[in-house]
Amino acid sequence: MAIHILSESLASRIAAGEVIERPASVVKELVENSLDAGASRIDVTVEGGGLRLIRVVDNGRGIPPGEIALAFERFATSKISEDSDLNDIRSMGFRGEALPSIASVAEVDTVSRQPESDAGVRYEIRFGDSDPPSPAGAPAGTTVSVRHLFRNVPARLKFMASPASESTRIHEVVAGLALARPEVAFALSVDGKDRLSTPGGGEPRDVIAALYGAQVAAAMIPLAPDGDSPFSASGLVCSPSIARGNRRYITIAVNGRLVQSRRISFAIEQAYHGYLPERHFPIAAVYISAPFEDIDVNVHPAKAEVRFLREQLVFSTVQQTVRAALAELAPVHRVAMPGQRAAAGAGSSGERRLFEEASWPNLENVANGSNGPDGPDGLNGVAGSYSNGVAVDDGSGHGEEAGPSSTHRNVLPVLRVIGQSQDTYIIAEGPDGIYLIDQHAAHERVLYERVTRQFADRSAESQPLLEPETIDLSPAHFTELTAHGEDLVAAGFTVEPFGDRSVLLRAVPAMLATGGRSGRAALIGLLDGVAEGRQGGWWAERMLSTIACHSAIRAGRTVANDEAKALIRQLEACEQPRTCPHGRPTMIHLAAGMLEREFGRR
Ligand code: ADP
Ligand code: MG
């Protein structure tokens, strides 16, 4: 075949493939157009997975009758001009490709009226062929109906999933856009059923409530953006008690644009390290604001990704902001009231059920109550029964110097040890009920913070072994270990290569030795854990939590009352007393109110 230039219609069908991959991409492009048109309400209707019908109705500024045909030409846009700076794009669209792309692979019926005009206009274009625009009565705004998507591209149709799963994708896109733009009211109807509706008041929490339910919305923690940085992250992240099994509940918007970013998603996940068990992911809506000249939105045909000039800065801003919010506000895991448990919904597995309910106001009462003279009855007696009183003073000190912004401090209420159960749980009484503390998890937390501090200021104590131990390693383990020699030394290990497959263990962290634990088991445990595939930056943290885990008292050991008291005192002094380094709870709270209710006293 001789070289020739493709016809306009074939060229645009090929180009359409980049922008319009599936029905959900049509929805995204149309909704973004509505957002660019300043709409405050956007209604989306789909039928047959979007292949039969996609309709987007907005109340935006409309399209002038004289321009509507032009809007469907390739590279026709009202959003940028010849002398625009491509590094300063504030609109969602700018490529002028969406409408012509859609119209080349579907029947598109557009009706529009500008609010200031009496006359509306209708424009129909079927698989690239159009009739001239005609006058039409219409509400202010624009309605675009797309029918028989991909009917002229059988190859593309073959790649469509079932209508049900295309509908799910559409649902996800609309949910994401609604969350990215809480100031706009969204509604989605799928095959005649209302699937989603957001109020549009500008509150992310309301959108979360509409998408994931009131329980989740109530357990979301606000981010406190750092106003001084050119980059800031605001929004909501979930309490560790309600994490999910996948990343789909992480929504990221950059300057109002819904984007996908593995990096930023990872920054958010990383902030949860130590709060969540592995393979658990947070629910989050994170709004990043960045200087426009710092982001390149023109790197992806569907504009799903953006590139940052200073990616590392964005990454650390997000991570630190989320981390700070968690440290400040993460609640004690509480046992749900029976009624609340039912309301938590069908999805809650027995394992998660206990951690469902998160209640900071009560925690706040507890924390404040322990300071004030008018705390709950009996509290002072409890506090007074501690001879050293250190924990009480700690608590009060925090409470007083902290302003209203930190009413939900991450401190524990004062706890009085009652005993131990099953050689595993310490039973304690607090001002607001009973606490069950997992002795291993609690001790692990205490030791983890200690070893982390020592590691940071290079003060880890090391205990030489009387008999150095040889440890035979797999090649992968050997490489891993020798690559992190410095970290190991800083933590108190002395390990020397011994041949090319073995190492000689000469000293172990004193903590391990005190616990009477084997340095070999800790090292192997560490290497196995690392092999599970953590990122490089995690190595030291992984090492420290392994040391803590291997040194901590185990479940199944009888703990004397004094020992239990000492442990609770140490836990109270921790920065994150409520979770072990792996993110499991250290304690469960049986609230006084729940006990009263359960015993029918109220
Ligand atoms: P882009 O969004 O990149 O400009 P599109 O093909 O999506 O390209 O749209 C072309 C033009 O049509 C837009 O620039 C805009 O002027 C107009 N337009 C499209 N949808 C709407 C709408 N819902 N309301 C008002 N104007 C619209
Ligand atoms: Mg567009």
Side-chain angles (χ1 to χ4, degrees):
M1 205 186 292
I3 298 174
H4 64 293
I5 294 194
L6 297 178
S7 73
E8 176 61 30
S9 98
L10 185 54
S12 51
R13 250 186 296 158
I14 292 170
E18 287 190 354
V19 185
I20 306 302
E21 201 193 334
R22 51 188 350 123
S25 359
V26 174
V27 171
K28 175 164 182 285
E29 292 295 337
L30 295 180
V31 169
E32 288 188 340
N33 279 347
S34 299
L35 291 171
D36 282 343
S40 62
R41 232 224 98 82
I42 300 175
D43 292 280
V44 181
T45 304
V46 303
E47 288 173 14
L51 293 170
R52 193 156 67 234
L53 172 73
I54 293 170
R55 176 180 293 135
V56 174
V57 183
D58 71 47
N59 63 353
R61 67 178 74 90
I63 307 175
E67 295 177 15
I68 195 161
L70 193 57
F72 284 84
E73 295 286 330
R74 282 185 77 192
F75 308 122
T77 182
S78 59
K79 298 169 194 174
I80 59 173
S81 68
E82 213 49 51
D83 46 333
S84 286
D85 183 355
L86 280 183
N87 285 326
D88 190 25
I89 290 172
R90 285 150 200 260
S91 52
M92 300 295 109
F94 56 91
R95 299 168 64 110
E97 286 182 304
L99 293 184
S101 296
I102 298 166
S104 72
V105 293
E107 290 181 19
V108 184
D109 177 9
T110 307
V111 180
S112 188
R113 179 168 71 80
Q114 298 181 281
E116 66 277 14
S117 156
D118 300 331
V121 63
R122 153 166 265 141
Y123 186 62
E124 286 179 271
I125 172 162
R126 284 169 227 91
F127 303 106
D129 292 331
S130 59
D131 298 333
S134 56
T142 302
T143 298
V144 182
S145 308
V146 177
R147 293 188 176 83
H148 307 309
L149 183 65
F150 299 138
R151 182 181 268 183
N152 64 338
V153 209
R156 185 55 64 95
L157 269 185
K158 271 208 307 245
F159 283 96
M160 292 302 118
S162 69
S165 54
E166 294 299 337
S167 294
T168 303
R169 286 176 204 256
I170 292 172
H171 192 142
E172 278 176 10
V173 163
V174 177
L177 290 161
L179 201 44
R181 302 293 284 264
E183 74 282 9
V184 177
F186 281 80
L188 170 67
S189 145
V190 178
D191 295 320
K193 291 198 195 70
D194 292 337
R195 299 302 292 276
L196 177 164
S197 141
T198 67
E203 273 301 326
R205 201 182 288 274
D206 293 341
V207 183
I208 298 261
L211 299 181
Y212 310 138
Q215 286 255 319
V216 169
M220 298 298 286
I221 304 167
L223 300 179
D226 172 6
D228 296 336
S229 160
F231 296 93
S232 70
S234 60
L236 297 167
V237 297
C238 75
S239 140
S241 57
I242 54 167
R244 297 290 147 117
N246 62 55
R247 294 188 173 82
R248 289 194 188 167
Y249 296 84
I250 299 177
T251 303
I252 301 160
V254 177
N255 293 347
R257 178 188 303 275
L258 177 68
V259 299
Q260 254 129 45
S261 165
R262 291 195 68 90
R263 285 278 290 161
I264 296 174
S265 175
F266 184 61
I268 299 169
E269 290 162 35
Q270 220 174 9
Y272 275 82
H273 186 66
Y275 286 96
L276 290 182
E278 276 175 41
R279 286 179 292 283
H280 281 59
F281 301 91
I283 302 170
V286 174
Y287 306 96
I288 296 169
S289 92
F292 282 94
E293 66 272 16
D294 248 271
I295 48 186
D296 186 354
V297 294
N298 195 18
V299 292
H300 189 277
K303 300 156 287 161
E305 286 165 22
V306 297
R307 199 170 286 158
F308 293 97
L309 209 55
R310 291 176 274 178
E311 188 173 59
Q312 192 50 43
L313 188 55
V314 181
F315 186 92
S316 57
T317 301
V318 169
Q319 199 207 349
Q320 281 159 19
T321 308
V322 175
R323 190 82 190 173
L326 287 173
E328 185 83 351
L329 293 169
V332 173
H333 290 288
R334 305 179 130 236
V335 174
M337 306 263 189
Q340 290 163 326
R341 187 178 303 165
S348 55
S349 69
E351 169 200 40
R352 262 187 39 222
R353 196 179 58 223
L354 289 177
F355 317 132
E356 209 91 84
E357 161 70 351
S359 167
W360 313 304
N362 283 339
L363 179 65
E364 177 191 338
N365 292 342
V366 172
N368 292 343
S370 68
N371 309 330
D374 38 10
D377 282 349
L379 174 66
N380 292 333
V382 170
S385 72
Y386 295 131
S387 47
N388 61 13
V390 173
V392 181
D393 290 342
D394 272 5
S396 328
H398 281 311
E400 271 151 30
E401 71 196 19
S405 70
S406 48
T407 39
H408 306 305
R409 289 214 51 101
N410 195 12
V411 294
L412 289 186
V414 179
L415 300 177
R416 185 174 71 89
V417 172
I418 297 172
Q420 189 195 22
S421 168
Q422 296 177 281
D423 284 344
T424 298
Y425 307 108
I426 294 167
I427 308 168
E429 182 190 39
D432 185 32
I434 295 166
Y435 290 76
L436 298 173
I437 296 124
D438 181 313
Q439 64 193 38
H440 173 72
H443 197 210
E444 209 178 350
R445 162 55 65 187
V446 167
L447 295 181
Y448 175 73
E449 293 199 1
R450 186 180 303 160
V451 72
T452 303
R453 261 193 317 275
Q454 294 173 344
F455 181 75
D457 46 22
R458 294 292 182 263
S459 65
E461 291 157 48
S462 185
Q463 170 83 52
L465 297 179
L466 290 176
E467 293 265 326
E469 276 186 70
T470 22
I471 308 178
D472 298 328
L473 296 169
S474 71
H477 280 180
F478 185 81
T479 318
E480 190 70 48
L481 203 68
T482 38
H484 294 95
E486 248 177 70
D487 284 344
L488 289 164
V489 170
F493 284 106
T494 307
V495 191
E496 287 167 10
F498 188 67
D500 51 7
R501 285 281 304 271
S502 309
V503 291
L504 204 56
L505 182 61
R506 290 191 176 279
V508 298
M511 192 177 276
L512 271 171
T514 317
R517 295 302 161 65
S518 139
R520 169 199 297 267
L523 270 185
I524 301 284
L526 167 65
L527 293 168
D528 284 342
V530 170
E532 277 167 28
R534 278 285 176 181
Q535 297 286 322
W538 289 109
W539 214 89
E541 238 181 294
R542 172 68 78 147
M543 173 183 68
L544 298 171
S545 70
T546 307
I547 295 171
C549 177
H550 279 254
S551 310
I553 45 170
R554 300 222 169 104
R557 211 198 82 187
T558 309
V559 170
N561 218 26
D562 282 347
E563 204 182 348
K565 277 187 194 168
L567 175 58
I568 302 302
R569 292 291 82 76
Q570 291 168 352
L571 187 63
E572 281 166 345
C574 281
E575 277 173 35
Q576 310 289 340
R578 290 166 198 146
T579 53
C580 82
H582 309 293
R584 286 188 296 274
T586 53
M587 59 179 58
I588 283 175
H589 178 196
L590 303 167
M594 184 203 112
L595 295 175
E596 280 182 359
R597 209 162 300 185
E598 287 287 88
F599 285 111
R601 295 178 161 276
R602 245 197 346 206

